[in-house]
Amino acid sequence: MLCFAFFAMATIMAQNQNVTGKVTDEKGAGIPKASIIVKGGKTGTSTDENGMFNLSVPGAAKSILISSQGYIVKEVAITGVPLNITLTTSVSSMEEVVVVGYGTQKKSVVTGAISSVKASDIDNQPIVRIEQFLQGRASGVTIAASSGQPGASSTLRIRGTTSINNSDPLYVVDGIPVDIGGIDYLNPNDIESIEVLKDAASAAIYGARAASGVILVTTKKGKAGKTMLSYNGYYGTQAPSKKLDLLNATEYATLQNEASLASGGGIKFANPSALGKGTDWQALIFNNSAKIQDHEISISGGNDKSTFYTSFGLFSQEGIVASDISDYKRFNFRFNGIHKINKWFSLGTNIGYSHIKSLGIGNTNSEYGGPLSSAINLDPITQSIITDPSIIASSYGLGSTGGLPAVTDGMGNPYGISKIVGQEMANPLAYIKNRIGNYGWSDNLVGNAFVEIEPVKGLKIRSNLGAKIAFWGNESFSPTFYLNASTSNDVNSFYTENDRGLNYTWENTASYTRNIAAHHFTALVGTGAYLDNYLSRRSGVTYRKLSVNTFEEAKSMNFAVLPANVLGWGGDYTQHKVSSVYGRLTYDYAEKYLFTGIMRRDGSSRFGSNNKYGYFPSGSVGWVASKENFWPENKVVSFFKLRGSYGVTGNDNIGDFQYVSTITGGKNYTFGATDLYTIGNSPSGLANPDLKWEQTSQTDIGFEASMFKNWTVSFDWYQKKTTGMLRVVDVPLYVGVGGYTGNVCSMDNTGFELELGFHKTISNVKLELKGNVSHLKNNVSFLGKGIEFLGGGASLQSTQYPLSRIAIGHPIGAFYGFERLGIFQNQGEVDSYVSKAGAKIQPVAKPGDIKWADLNADGTINADDRTFIGDPTPDWSYGFTASAALKGFDLVVFGQGVAGNDIFNGLRRLDIANANWTTKALNRWTGAGTSNDFPRLTNDDPNHNYSNPSTFYLEKGDYFRIKVLQLGYTLPFALTNKVLVQKVRVYVSGNNLLTLTNYSGYDPEIGGSSYGIDRGYYPQARSFTAGLNLTF
Amino acid sequence: MKKSIKYIALCFAALPLLNSCKKDFLDVNPTGETSLESNYYKNAAEIFKGVVAAYDPLGSETGGTYSSKLGLLNTASDDCGVGGGSATDQASWAVWDNFTISVGQGPQGDLWGRNYTGIYRANLILNKVDGVTDLSSAMKGRYIAEMKVLRAYYYFDLVRLFKNVPLITAPIPTADIFNLAQAKPEAIYAQIEKDLQEAIAEANLPATVPASTEGGRMTKGTAKALLGKVFLYEKKWAEAAGQLADVNGTPGGTSAYGYKLLSNFGDIFKPTNKFNSESIFEIVHTAQARQDWGGWGAFEGNVMVQMVGPRNYGGPTYVTGWGFCPITMDLVNVIKNDPRYPYTIANVDSIVAATAGGAYEKGYQNTGYFIEKYAPKLQYRSSLGGLGDLNYPYDYIEIRLADTYLMEAEALTQSNANAGRAKQLMDAVRARVGLPGVPVTLQSIYNERRLELATEGHRFFDLIRTNTAAAALTGFTAGKNEVLPIPLSEINNTKLVQNAGY
């Protein structure tokens, strides 16, 4: 649309004429919202719901241009009679324009690998964050939610994990890089399109910050023409889609007795059957009717000089777990405007503001308590609420609770405290009560202002100044409480934190486009300066020993606190600066032979003095074979483009001051009986002035084609090699100080991506299918001289060894542990499992214990028998959208899935012998022939059946999920027009309706820092919503 | 019109220059407490912070995992088991309890690392102290002496725990990092003796320090006691007796360094009675840091105290802990009729039995008996802030007067010298708890050491140096388990050689 506005420069004529008509598709159905513009003029309108239009045009106007997304632009002469205009579908979608860094390009001449998702692809779907916009809709992008907590971020990886350190992509919103932590300020409803720059050739224009790919977000802009007022909203309820099958009280007591007897203890519960079903802790924390709602009003419009888009959004979502302390609310405001002062000078602004308030359960995937982990691990015997006065008197008095108050419900009845399961596993109801009121908040204002001049035709000079101002913090109250013997708090406190951040960017570009016959050139040069964390500070205050005991009372701070009980802290965020110069040359001959070359130089405050600046070049070529004369006119392949690229990008997300030896604190010591707690400082490590960015080079070969009239295909194969990944070069501990950070490790990602599109109208039913599938293989190739693997790895409380390992020749984070050969069914099998020398390999094993594979055949089972047993990263990820429209009805199905990954099921705490089990434990080994999978239950576990990380805990993580199933109905225009409403659409939508998986936990989609490890994961909700779209 | 176009175009063309002309745009300086090593240690305040940092590893409670030296030594000895929630609760502790310790698993990494961290920081100060402009020569002399005592202490731990360790007495040039070899144990001992002798000879190292403000700082008394102990381990009996005699003075009286036995045995370990007259080398912990789990690796509270409390305990006096280091029945049987028993062992079974609603969780290797000297008690639990579990203000007493009495008595007995004084020393230790004297023999001294010093971290080393470990410790392999394996990280790509048997 903007393009048309740019060309609309004719002078206004005195006399006007009226043009009317109808725009239809090939089947004769009216096309709504098609754009009508006078050729060479500035006047325009759009069609109504039936494709009708009526436009007053200058008398001199000769013809009009009609365009609509998905159709080829058509020019029609003005004849004075009503026009019947039929648009042809642009099956190839090659006429589309895609956003590339610092500009746009016609899709048909793009030589890089770019995936595009448009607002129309996600219309009315309940999308809270930008990551969900892309999930399943863009190939080569793997996304896993870090939790189902409302507002939670997702782990987003473009073409796999690029670095062992930081693999987050660069987000660029309307040309301004926005840090990933603040990206949730963006209301998905305001997004017009997202482009994912996947290959190095596309991303290299962002140089040292582009190694993990770039996500370009373009927000909605106004269009010249009638002012449009729209309301979009939905309301719905959510519920967990699954509960774990945990043992009931009788089953639990029976198995506890068995485990106790097996380890030489006595019977713990004399009469299990008398205990009945007991407490269902899960039922107490799950909310089956958690609310979700979203409302947005947008106004857009403009004329040939100015256009604007403004919106107000309000979103709120309750969590399905512990809704009292799990909640997310966001208020958004956006104003985007462009103003053309004259034909060569324009300026504009894009401003977005958001306010977010979120409540969190504090523990969304951790084995250390919290509502989920506690509900899973707590015994079902303990009552949730104690009402029996005699029990209250005997066990809930201050004498029994360490002098601290037991947490009570509104009636004053104490929440039950388990005497059986302790540690962090507290009664979730009491845990919830203690956190009520605590919240986090943020205010983000992100905006940019630009001026653009075109002093001579084809030369555009643009200066773009952007800023992000963020304020965020949290307030929480911790009462004095006694949850159990190991979880209590004897001093109440109120904590309030206030942070602020300010980021600036300033970019200046000049681009020149020139066509000489069939030679098309575009040259771009630019500079950029980026400053993060300018005047950015954080500070917090803790007020202790308060005379009140709830958040509500505490937050007023309307009481005296002794100075000694006020503890404050604060500090600056370290500034991060980047200074850049870049250029790009794009050339094509007759849109047939294509070439793009890019060079960027970035300097970063994070690089060492010997490597302050890095150069990032890339080149790509394309050949549109279907434009060749020899390409026969045919119905099979109407468009075919082959392309290839190679480029180098960098990652400066490597932390500050990695290259120097800084003096750091925390080496404190205390002197004297008066407790003089004294600050001690010493160097943090050795210096490395050679430190630089992590470098990724990538080769991409692909093709795009339009086939069989209705099909589009896009395919890419790539190989991505990351070198110089930062790692602390371990020096021996005898050096006495940490090693230095060096550019050491290497990793490869290889994969391919396929995107398919189909659309056709079959007897009035408009069908559209979009699908994509990606395959990825990640391989760590170098970790340092003589280093086969890195120490550490993911841990789970009380396992014998880490769960995962980064090792050469294996994917990052691969699960590492023991393999099983089954279960010893009898003593004979234990005795006959012998080494070559004839000695028993597992001398302490008893019947019912796991028979471990002695992989190194040394006759014992120890750390050296571990191997790579699984991979948390999917080999395959895929998604599809199918939509059909008939008359006023429309139906959309969106599904998405992954395959080829494993999940480590770490739901049960190992060091809590009395923790509950899932019903899988009912099938444990209890005698010869009873099980060859689930070992005997025993509290001492001398064979490490449970404490060895092994294939016992691994489950297939494959899933396929119907994310959205939506049915809508648009009221006939004739009806709605009577009340001056352009469009009324109502719809119902089911989200996460169905998940096909063999994984036994809540949810197979486990992202975040505990990728692929389930410690009590907060599952995503299944929801039903009903919505309304209104356009005036 | 044309003019203005040109003017504006010129402005834009100039804009990029603005970005790149500022050459120092990319320079960012650390803010706040942080500075660069290259321009630090220039004044008295900075060097003192470095001195504090050299003390810091003394109190190290955690590294890769929980690694309280005292907790681990108790586990390794026959006084305590490992305990915890299960056999694998702290695997790196459990393997030192049953001597299945291996190159891949054990506490060696943390125990090695903390000592070399201390040595690095002491070396750094010794290297930097000359560059400080505003430091008096008296303070400089004192800091140098303190660093030498600390370095000697760290090396003494290393040579006892690992025997074959590299000797580093100055910051290592980066190029040489991977080229160091282990020194002979004798060379390490020689360096320890040299450092301690030089510290003792330094006029500015105080003989005593004011307990209220400087308690815990190294003194001449500390240096002498440590040197006496080092000589004892070297079986240099006469030298040991000589140093320790200075420390001990007249048995039962107050020595030249102000040391005197407390009259009440039970008062020695009270956190409210820090730096008492019996304490010679005290490792300080505090609740002032008010830490929570975020302090991992730098805990200032005594986390071992939390570890050794009974699990999920409900009852009087104590606070719940994690059930580590349960007292072995062996020690219970030896000490149960001794007057020091109630101050040494907490009989939790009998306490909960006597309390209505009292209970605790019986963890791994539970005997019902727990460490009393470092037991987590409600009255000492911090309420200053942070997690009470992690902020117990209990000090470790690394060397105390009863220990130096018994060490001197041992050195005298070994060298057949001054049997009378040996008897006086033994008698003083016993008389303090109301016990009559016994004939002084090596065996009676060893027995007395076990009873007097139970769970204070001496037992394991005593068993090793008296060659009785194999008999006393289940699973102990003589010729191997006297020392820990050199940590794997120290062998990879270096010239270090693994200890025999591992």
Side-chain angles (χ1 to χ4, degrees):
Chain A
M1 276 307 299
L2 274 176
C3 292
F4 293 110
F6 273 95
F7 293 111
M9 292 179 188
T11 47
I12 298 165
M13 299 299 287
Q15 263 198 324
N16 279 8
Q17 56 176 325
N18 250 25
V19 184
T20 59
K22 184 177 186 184
V23 180
T24 58
D25 61 17
E26 292 129 311
K27 298 282 170 186
I31 300 175
K33 282 197 196 168
S35 153
I36 317 290
I37 285 273
V38 176
K39 188 172 186 192
K42 52 176 188 160
T43 321
T45 184
S46 52
T47 56
D48 65 19
E49 284 303 300
N50 295 328
M52 308 293 288
F53 68 92
N54 184 343
L55 179 65
S56 172
V57 304
K62 293 277 184 292
S63 60
I64 54 171
L65 291 167
I66 303 95
S67 61
S68 180
Q69 200 186 329
Y71 297 93
I72 293 166
V73 179
K74 192 162 186 177
E75 182 177 340
V76 177
I78 297 167
T79 57
V81 299
L83 300 165
N84 272 323
I85 301 156
T86 306
L87 292 185
T88 332
T89 23
S90 64
V91 173
S92 68
S93 72
M94 289 301 155
E95 297 305 311
E96 277 176 36
V97 165
V98 296
V99 180
V100 296
Y102 308 103
T104 57
Q105 236 182 331
K106 246 167 92 178
K107 194 173 181 194
S108 60
V109 298
V110 167
T111 47
I114 299 176
S115 282
S116 266
V117 183
K118 309 284 185 199
S120 55
D121 296 330
I122 58 138
D123 262 353
N124 303 314
Q125 295 181 14
I127 283 173
V128 185
R129 286 179 61 102
I130 183 169
E131 297 98 328
Q132 294 153 358
F133 203 105
L134 294 170
Q135 188 176 31
R137 296 181 180 91
S139 67
V141 184
T142 317
I143 291 165
S146 63
S147 93
Q149 170 126 316
S153 64
S154 297
T155 304
L156 188 154
R157 297 284 172 262
I158 297 174
R159 293 193 163 171
T161 304
T162 306
S163 167
I164 55 173
N165 297 307
N166 186 309
S167 303
D168 293 325
L170 175 70
Y171 286 95
V172 179
V173 180
D174 292 322
I176 303 296
V178 176
D179 61 296
I180 190 164
I183 198 69
D184 68 340
Y185 87 98
L186 204 57
N187 179 355
N189 291 323
D190 286 338
I191 297 174
E192 177 64 36
S193 70
I194 296 181
E195 263 79 17
V196 184
L197 310 185
K198 298 187 288 193
D199 66 334
S202 313
I205 195 70
Y206 289 101
R209 292 194 285 177
S212 295
V214 182
I215 292 177
L216 300 179
V217 180
T218 308
T219 56
K220 287 176 179 167
K221 309 290 186 297
K223 295 175 186 174
K226 201 177 147 193
T227 300
M228 307 252 283
L229 171 67
S230 302
Y231 164 81
N232 292 308
Y234 62 80
Y235 181 89
T237 68
Q238 320 160 85
S241 56
K242 186 175 179 180
K243 259 171 74 178
L244 294 181
D245 292 322
L246 296 171
L247 298 186
N248 67 30
T250 302
E251 293 163 336
Y252 169 82
T254 309
L255 267 55
Q256 277 292 330
N257 285 342
E258 185 181 316
S260 177
L261 286 172
S263 53
I267 291 278
K268 285 184 175 169
F269 303 99
N271 187 1
S273 58
L275 296 167
K277 293 231 177 288
T279 304
D280 179 354
W281 294 106
Q282 291 184 88
L284 296 169
I285 59 164
F286 280 136
N287 182 351
N288 287 313
S289 56
K291 307 282 179 292
I292 181 169
Q293 55 183 315
D294 187 30
H295 305 283
E296 203 210 18
I297 291 171
S298 64
I299 305 166
S300 69
N303 54 29
D304 59 314
K305 279 204 183 296
S306 300
T307 59
F308 73 98
Y309 168 87
T310 182
S311 73
F312 307 87
L314 193 61
F315 172 79
S316 109
Q317 184 182 6
E318 283 178 357
I320 53 167
V321 177
S323 301
D324 288 341
I325 56 166
S326 181
D327 192 85
Y328 183 80
K329 284 186 176 61
R330 180 176 60 205
F331 167 77
N332 281 86
F333 166 76
R334 171 164 292 278
F335 177 81
N336 292 348
I338 299 169
H339 185 67
K340 282 179 72 71
I341 288 172
N342 58 36
K343 68 177 180 181
W344 54 267
F345 191 93
S346 60
L347 48 83
T349 56
N350 299 299
I351 294 172
Y353 163 78
S354 76
H355 172 75
I356 292 168
K357 181 181 176 186
S358 59
L359 278 56
I361 65 170
N363 215 345
T364 55
N365 189 13
S366 153
E367 69 266 39
Y368 300 110
L372 281 155
S373 184
S374 296
I376 295 165
N377 283 286
L378 272 177
D379 61 276
I381 294 170
T382 301
Q383 290 174 276
S384 60
I385 295 171
I386 309 297
T387 49
D388 183 336
S390 65
I391 298 176
I392 294 172
S394 68
S395 303
Y396 289 81
L398 289 177
S400 314
T401 55
L404 294 165
V407 185
T408 57
D409 68 1
M411 312 287 288
N413 296 316
Y415 291 114
I417 297 171
S418 176
K419 299 250 185 228
I420 304 167
V421 173
Q423 309 294 96
E424 293 89 351
M425 305 305 166
N427 186 324
L429 297 178
Y431 176 94
I432 291 166
K433 179 94 186 269
N434 279 346
R435 291 176 69 94
I436 281 186
N438 298 357
Y439 73 101
W441 59 272
S442 69
D443 284 290
N444 281 286
L445 183 64
V446 185
N448 66 308
F450 66 87
V451 290
E452 185 175 276
I453 61 170
E454 194 173 359
V456 294
K457 188 169 161 47
L459 174 65
K460 285 182 182 168
I461 301 172
R462 185 181 171 98
S463 183
N464 192 1
L465 185 67
K468 177 183 163 190
I469 305 164
F471 299 89
W472 69 100
N474 60 74
E475 291 194 328
S476 62
F477 179 73
S478 177
T480 53
F481 60 79
Y482 181 92
L483 290 178
N484 64 30
S486 52
T487 315
S488 62
N489 183 28
D490 46 16
V491 178
N492 68 5
S493 61
F494 179 70
Y495 177 70
T496 171
E497 180 177 332
N498 286 286
D499 300 21
R500 70 162 189 253
L502 181 50
N503 299 350
Y504 278 119
T505 68
W506 187 23
E507 292 198 284
N508 298 294
T509 55
S511 74
Y512 183 62
T513 305
R514 182 97 197 259
N515 299 332
I516 305 170
H519 302 278
H520 308 136
F521 299 90
T522 303
L524 168 90
V525 291
T527 67
Y530 312 87
L531 170 53
D532 291 347
N533 295 334
Y534 180 64
L535 293 179
S536 298
R537 269 184 72 75
R538 54 189 318 188
S539 60
V541 187
T542 305
Y543 304 89
R544 304 175 56 255
K545 298 189 177 171
L546 308 179
S547 53
V548 299
N549 218 28
T550 66
F551 178 88
E552 281 304 313
E553 294 166 308
K555 75 172 181 186
S556 70
M557 291 309 298
N558 188 18
F559 43 81
V561 183
L562 289 176
N565 291 326
V566 179
L567 309 170
W569 62 275
D572 287 347
Y573 287 99
T574 301
Q575 291 187 13
H576 170 214
K577 298 175 182 179
V578 177
S579 168
S580 312
V581 183
Y582 46 88
R584 176 172 59 207
L585 179 67
T586 313
Y587 165 78
D588 71 75
Y589 176 75
E591 298 192 353
K592 194 164 27 173
Y593 308 111
L594 321 168
F595 167 79
T596 302
I598 292 172
M599 173 62 91
R600 177 159 175 144
R601 187 193 79 159
D602 276 329
S604 169
S605 59
R606 289 172 174 164
F607 302 157
S609 49
N610 295 347
N611 277 310
K612 210 73 193 166
Y613 292 92
Y615 291 86
F616 304 94
S618 83
S620 53
V621 292
W623 176 41
V624 183
S626 55
K627 290 225 171 193
E628 294 287 358
N629 291 333
F630 62 75
W631 194 266
E633 190 71 20
N634 69 75
K635 286 188 172 172
V636 182
V637 181
S638 55
F639 176 88
F640 185 82
K641 176 171 72 179
L642 200 61
R643 52 182 166 74
S645 75
Y646 176 80
V648 176
T649 51
N651 174 20
D652 92 327
N653 229 331
I654 56 176
D656 301 300
F657 301 124
Q658 297 282 327
Y659 57 92
V660 289
S661 169
T662 53
I663 299 293
T664 54
K667 286 101 180 192
N668 306 337
Y669 198 68
T670 308
F671 297 118
T674 49
D675 261 5
L676 298 175
Y677 178 49
T678 313
I679 301 286
N681 289 343
S682 77
S684 58
L686 303 167
N688 176 16
D690 293 331
L691 188 90
K692 59 178 186 177
W693 54 94
E694 301 180 338
Q695 185 160 307
T696 298
S697 59
Q698 193 180 167
T699 309
D700 185 293
I701 296 169
F703 70 83
E704 287 156 39
S706 303
M707 300 167 78
F708 306 114
K709 210 172 155 209
N710 302 312
W711 290 87
T712 57
V713 183
S714 160
F715 176 86
D716 279 279
W717 171 90
Y718 63 88
Q719 189 168 44
K720 183 160 93 167
K721 186 167 182 62
T722 306
T723 53
M725 289 188 291
L726 296 201
R727 194 169 76 74
V728 172
V729 176
D730 290 326
V731 295
L733 294 171
Y734 60 65
V735 175
V737 64
Y740 55 90
T741 306
N743 294 93
V744 179
C745 311
S746 305
M747 187 161 72
D748 307 320
N749 284 284
T750 312
F752 59 85
E753 296 150 2
L754 181 68
E755 291 189 7
L756 278 175
F758 170 81
H759 62 161
K760 192 175 183 181
T761 304
I762 305 167
S763 61
N764 287 339
V765 181
K766 267 173 79 176
L767 271 181
E768 191 169 310
L769 287 171
K770 278 186 184 177
N772 67 77
V773 56
S774 313
H775 181 266
L776 170 73
K777 191 172 167 1
N778 174 282
N779 182 50
V780 176
S781 52
F782 185 69
L783 293 170
K785 190 178 144 228
I787 296 176
E788 287 295 314
F789 63 91
L790 300 184
S795 62
L796 186 71
Q797 176 65 31
S798 294
T799 50
Q800 285 276 304
Y801 305 99
L803 313 183
S804 65
R805 169 171 281 191
I806 292 177
I808 291 177
H810 296 276
I812 186 166
F815 293 124
Y816 194 71
F818 293 87
E819 285 184 346
R820 296 174 298 156
L821 299 174
I823 284 179
F824 292 118
Q825 298 298 331
N826 52 54
Q827 190 59 40
E829 291 186 12
V830 177
D831 297 341
S832 61
Y833 187 42
V834 292
S835 65
K836 282 189 202 123
K840 278 196 262 186
I841 292 174
Q842 288 176 247
V844 300
K846 289 186 173 166
D849 280 340
I850 290 175
K851 181 179 181 182
W852 301 112
D854 181 19
L855 292 180
N856 66 351
D858 66 347
T860 60
I861 301 298
N862 58 24
D864 301 331
D865 292 306
R866 292 174 296 157
T867 187
F868 294 89
I869 55 177
D871 180 3
T873 309
D875 298 332
W876 296 91
S877 44
Y878 56 92
F880 76 88
T881 308
S883 59
L886 170 64
K887 305 245 164 88
F889 289 94
D890 59 90
L891 180 72
V892 178
V893 184
F894 167 53
Q896 163 271 330
V898 301
N901 60 314
D902 300 287
I903 295 175
F904 193 101
N905 183 331
L907 294 173
R908 185 172 188 270
R909 258 285 281 273
L910 287 169
D911 60 327
I912 301 178
N914 297 340
N916 202 0
W917 288 275
T918 65
T919 52
K920 276 195 276 185
L922 294 174
N923 301 318
R924 75 227 172 265
W925 187 94
T926 49
T930 48
S931 173
N932 204 31
D933 178 58
F934 205 113
R936 73 191 173 106
L937 299 181
T938 167
N939 285 343
D940 55 358
D941 194 20
N943 192 50
H944 304 306
N945 293 332
Y946 298 99
S947 56
N948 274 346
S950 75
T951 52
F952 177 67
Y953 288 106
L954 287 191
E955 298 183 37
K956 288 280 166 217
D958 305 15
Y959 73 85
F960 169 70
R961 179 171 277 172
I962 300 285
K963 277 265 179 199
V964 177
L965 177 62
Q966 187 175 107
L967 178 66
Y969 177 67
T970 305
L971 270 59
F973 179 70
L975 195 70
T976 55
N977 196 33
K978 286 178 186 161
V979 286
L980 295 173
V981 180
Q982 282 247 329
K983 180 181 174 183
V984 179
R985 177 176 175 268
V986 292
Y987 64 90
V988 288
S989 184
N991 310 294
N992 293 333
L993 282 185
L994 173 73
T995 303
L996 299 176
T997 182
N998 283 327
Y999 179 61
S1000 66
Y1002 289 117
D1003 191 333
E1005 188 186 327
I1006 300 172
S1009 57
S1010 181
Y1011 198 86
I1013 301 170
D1014 192 350
R1015 307 160 192 271
Y1017 179 78
Y1018 191 132
Q1020 295 183 60
R1022 171 193 288 167
S1023 67
F1024 293 94
T1025 55
L1028 174 67
N1029 309 131
L1030 286 175
T1031 307
F1032 299 95
Chain B
M1 184 72 174
K2 266 215 157 134
K3 246 185 189 168
S4 67
I5 289 176
K6 279 183 184 162
Y7 175 71
I8 291 165
L10 206 68
C11 286
F12 275 93
L15 285 175
L17 295 172
L18 290 176
N19 286 348
S20 44
C21 346
K22 287 165 71 186
K23 269 197 175 148
D24 56 353
F25 176 72
L26 293 179
D27 293 343
V28 171
N29 286 318
T31 53
E33 275 291 328
T34 328
S35 13
L36 306 182
E37 182 191 342
S38 45
N39 46 32
Y40 201 70
Y41 303 116
K42 295 288 191 241
N43 59 48
E46 288 172 353
I47 203 85
F48 180 64
K49 285 179 177 153
V51 167
V52 173
Y55 274 92
D56 168 49
L58 289 178
S60 171
E61 291 288 298
T62 52
T65 180
Y66 297 98
S67 54
S68 158
K69 178 183 127 190
L70 178 54
L72 281 160
L73 286 170
N74 279 332
T75 297
S77 80
D78 57 349
D79 286 351
C80 300
V82 57
S86 69
T88 59
D89 195 337
Q90 285 303 319
S92 63
W93 290 50
V95 294
W96 207 10
D97 179 46
N98 60 18
F99 297 98
T100 56
I101 198 160
S102 65
V103 175
Q105 193 161 49
Q108 57 268 25
D110 285 344
L111 291 176
W112 175 281
R114 55 182 269 163
N115 287 304
Y116 273 111
T117 301
I119 289 164
Y120 164 80
R121 294 181 189 169
N123 287 340
L124 190 72
I125 297 307
L126 292 171
N127 184 261
K128 299 267 188 187
V129 74
D130 284 333
V132 184
T133 47
D134 62 344
L135 196 64
S136 69
S137 63
M139 285 309 273
K140 184 174 150 187
R142 182 178 180 187
Y143 289 163
I144 290 172
E146 284 184 272
M147 292 303 101
K148 287 179 175 172
V149 179
L150 287 174
R151 185 165 71 182
Y153 169 80
Y154 293 130
Y155 270 120
F156 187 43
D157 262 5
L158 283 168
V159 76
R160 287 188 297 166
L161 288 167
F162 298 95
K163 190 173 177 187
N164 303 298
V165 299
L167 179 60
I168 302 161
T169 53
I172 317 170
T174 310
D176 297 344
I177 283 174
F178 291 92
N179 296 325
L180 290 179
Q182 283 141 305
K184 291 210 177 318
E186 303 82 63
I188 302 291
Y189 272 111
Q191 180 66 40
I192 295 170
E193 288 180 24
K194 178 169 179 282
D195 274 343
L196 291 171
Q197 299 280 21
E198 286 174 2
I200 292 163
E202 168 60 56
N204 292 302
L205 183 67
T208 59
V209 290
S212 67
T213 55
E214 294 189 7
R217 295 276 291 269
M218 296 298 120
T219 63
K220 278 210 169 74
T222 320
K224 277 190 158 285
L226 186 56
L227 183 57
K229 186 171 177 180
V230 168
F231 282 137
L232 188 81
Y233 275 68
E234 292 187 272
K235 305 199 192 313
K236 295 180 177 174
W237 310 117
E239 289 97 323
Q243 292 295 334
L244 293 166
D246 290 348
V247 175
N248 295 335
T250 310
T254 304
S255 80
Y257 296 99
Y259 302 129
K260 185 177 192 304
L261 291 180
L262 292 189
S263 52
N264 184 355
F265 183 81
D267 288 344
I268 298 170
F269 287 93
K270 283 183 180 161
T272 47
N273 196 25
K274 291 185 174 194
F275 314 110
N276 57 60
S277 67
E278 188 163 340
S279 169
I280 297 173
F281 189 147
E282 188 157 335
I283 291 174
V284 192
H285 285 96
T286 183
Q288 289 293 343
R290 303 159 194 217
Q291 283 164 312
D292 55 23
W293 287 110
W296 180 275
F299 288 135
E300 304 295 337
N302 191 326
V303 180
M304 187 201 75
V305 169
Q306 168 67 17
M307 294 184 76
V308 303
R311 294 174 73 82
N312 290 328
Y313 174 82
T317 313
Y318 303 105
V319 189
T320 197
W322 301 333
F324 283 87
C325 301
I327 303 289
T328 58
M329 289 314 294
D330 184 47
L331 178 61
V332 173
N333 291 332
V334 172
I335 204 173
K336 65 185 171 197
N337 296 319
D338 189 281
R340 287 164 289 201
Y341 168 74
Y343 305 110
T344 305
I345 292 175
N347 184 347
V348 171
D349 271 346
S350 73
I351 292 166
V352 295
T355 310
Y360 76 104
E361 179 193 334
K362 293 180 172 149
Y364 179 63
Q365 293 178 333
N366 183 58
T367 55
Y369 298 98
F370 292 84
I371 291 177
E372 171 68 15
K373 286 172 179 171
Y374 289 98
K377 292 190 178 165
L378 197 52
Q379 68 182 120
Y380 301 130
R381 188 179 167 88
S382 169
S383 58
L384 291 173
L387 285 177
D389 290 1
L390 305 176
N391 288 290
Y392 283 103
Y394 294 49
D395 289 356
Y396 293 135
I397 302 182
E398 187 74 15
I399 303 177
R400 64 179 169 97
L401 196 59
D403 182 17
T404 54
Y405 274 25
L406 293 173
M407 286 196 287
E408 190 192 342
E410 183 181 338
L412 292 170
T413 309
Q414 285 280 14
S415 54
N416 294 315
N418 205 341
R421 181 169 165 86
K423 177 91 168 87
Q424 286 172 0
L425 288 161
M426 268 280 271
D427 286 352
V429 171
R430 291 178 61 82
R432 186 254 300 269
V433 291
L435 289 171
V438 289
V440 175
T441 64
L442 279 178
Q443 194 51 51
S444 70
I445 294 169
Y446 296 155
N447 289 346
E448 201 58 39
R449 284 185 68 80
R450 186 173 193 197
L451 296 171
E452 172 72 21
L453 304 171
T455 75
E456 292 177 39
H458 305 292
R459 176 69 178 168
F460 177 76
F461 288 127
D462 283 349
L463 289 171
I464 300 293
R465 70 185 177 86
T466 58
N467 242 330
T468 47
L473 300 172
T474 316
F476 187 93
T477 305
K480 172 183 174 184
N481 291 131
E482 288 82 0
V483 292
L484 296 169
I486 306 294
L488 207 53
S489 60
E490 307 305 285
I491 303 274
N492 287 339
N493 297 324
T494 71
K495 298 206 156 46
L496 266 55
V497 180
Q498 188 52 274
N499 280 331
Y502 290 103

